[in-house]
Amino acid sequence: MNKFGVTAAALLLPVMAQAQEIQIEMLEIEPLKYETLDIPLGDVKSESVVAATVGKGALLRGLDKLTGQVADFELDNGYSVKFGTLRVDMAQCRHPSENPNGDAFAFISVYEDQGTGANVFQGWMVASSPALSALDHARYDVWVLRCTGLAQADAESTSEGDGNE
């Protein structure tokens, strides 16, 4: 009987790994309200300070490490998305003012069991250095690719001001 149980488990393991697919579901909820981050930094000695602009949202990428599936999802500031068994909340995405396509950094929160479980990550993620502040989850990875929504708005306002067509 012990031999039968081990054989059955070995046969069912590959089937169980393939059975679960990634599902991304946009939640229809009110945007989350976040206060501005006015934290005193103390004496910061820096060579240069780069002004940051708040983007409309961010493009995030998720990876299911078990199946190898990758999914990209665009998330506006203040909204949430379900990714597998996780819920990802986007507070804010920022990028350098002089370079809208430059290095993005976003403040996100990630919760287990599609929002009913524990908070597994909360903090700033930097697009150019995803390992600097990474989600530590056994099955899923989520990271920031870039901010969205501002590069096009800047181009429209510039073209209106030039008067050239």
Side-chain angles (χ1 to χ4, degrees):
M1 184 160 180
N2 189 17
K3 196 180 222 183
F4 175 73
V6 171
T7 305
L11 292 174
L12 289 177
L13 187 61
V15 174
M16 291 173 21
Q18 294 174 356
Q20 187 176 9
E21 292 186 23
I22 295 176
Q23 295 180 2
I24 297 177
E25 176 185 346
M26 295 301 292
L27 303 176
E28 296 182 17
I29 59 173
E30 287 290 321
L32 302 172
K33 304 293 184 209
Y34 289 93
E35 297 178 17
T36 58
L37 300 173
D38 295 327
I39 300 170
L41 297 176
D43 294 334
V44 176
K45 296 180 181 166
S46 170
E47 293 292 323
S48 65
V49 176
V50 177
T53 302
V54 177
K56 180 183 173 195
L59 180 64
L60 304 175
R61 178 166 288 162
L63 168 69
D64 184 338
K65 296 183 223 177
L66 186 64
T67 63
Q69 292 179 315
V70 177
D72 291 350
F73 43 95
E74 195 170 317
L75 193 57
D76 287 343
N77 294 339
Y79 286 89
S80 300
V81 66
K82 289 181 181 176
F83 173 65
T85 62
L86 302 178
R87 186 185 85 196
V88 181
D89 297 348
M90 166 66 71
Q92 194 174 80
C93 187
R94 299 179 185 180
H95 60 82
S97 297
E98 299 84 29
N99 185 5
N101 297 322
D103 193 20
F105 48 103
F107 190 87
I108 65 171
S109 300
V110 180
Y111 297 92
E112 191 69 72
D113 298 325
Q114 296 183 349
T116 60
N119 183 330
V120 293
F121 178 85
Q122 183 169 9
W124 289 97
M125 282 191 177
V126 182
S128 65
S129 303
L132 183 64
S133 178
L135 168 66
D136 183 23
H137 191 270
R139 179 164 184 178
Y140 299 104
D141 273 343
V142 175
W143 63 94
V144 178
L145 295 177
R146 63 180 171 88
C147 289
T148 60
L150 241 139
Q152 190 175 36
D154 287 345
E156 289 173 3
S157 66
T158 305
S159 64
E160 289 175 9
D162 288 343
N164 298 333
E165 298 204 23

